[in-house]
């Protein structure tokens, strides 16, 4: 029997942009929403959400998981398909430090309408 890969959804946003950031991570039907993640850009918020998703995977001691988000630029940068510059490079360094010597986690782009973390964020607005 093959274990199912656990899906971890992530999303971040801010209003105005730049402005107050918020993040959400959803897995197993449970949402973790942070309404005040500091001040930054929408890209910063997406990165913080991805990093929070990876931390959650570590906290749950998951080994077979996929990180799912609707921010194509962040997914591409995290996967190494596009170079991260400026503050994104700092976030990528944090992400890589959390990965450590482990294999790189699977990170996939999904449609905004499929992102359960985005739905969790929208519920509180």
């Amino acid at each position: 029997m093959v274990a199912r890969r656990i899906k971890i959804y992530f999303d971040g946003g801010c209003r105005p942009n730049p402005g107050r950031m918020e993040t959400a991570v959803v897995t197993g039907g449970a949402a973790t929403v942070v309404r005040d993640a500091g001040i930054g850009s929408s890209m910063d918020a997406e990165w913080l959400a991805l990093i929070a998703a990876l931390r959650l995977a570590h906290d749950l001691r998951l080994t077979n998981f996929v990180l799912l988000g609707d921010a194509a630029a962040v997914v591409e940068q995290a996967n190494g398909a596009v170079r991260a510059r400026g503050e994104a490079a700092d976030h990528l360094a944090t992400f890589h430090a959390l990965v450590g010597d482990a294999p790189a986690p699977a990170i996939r782009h999904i449609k905004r309408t499929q992102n359960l973390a985005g739905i969790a964020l929208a519920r509180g607005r």
Side-chain angles (χ1 to χ4, degrees), residues 12 18 21 32 44 98 106 110-111 113 119 125:
M21 296 183 295
T32 302
D44 292 324
L98 286 170
I110 58 174
K111 295 178 184 177
T113 56
I119 294 167
R125 290 185 179 154

Side-chain angles (χ1 to χ4, degrees), residues 26-38:
V26 174
T27 192
T32 302
V33 177
V34 175
R35 293 288 175 199
D36 187 5

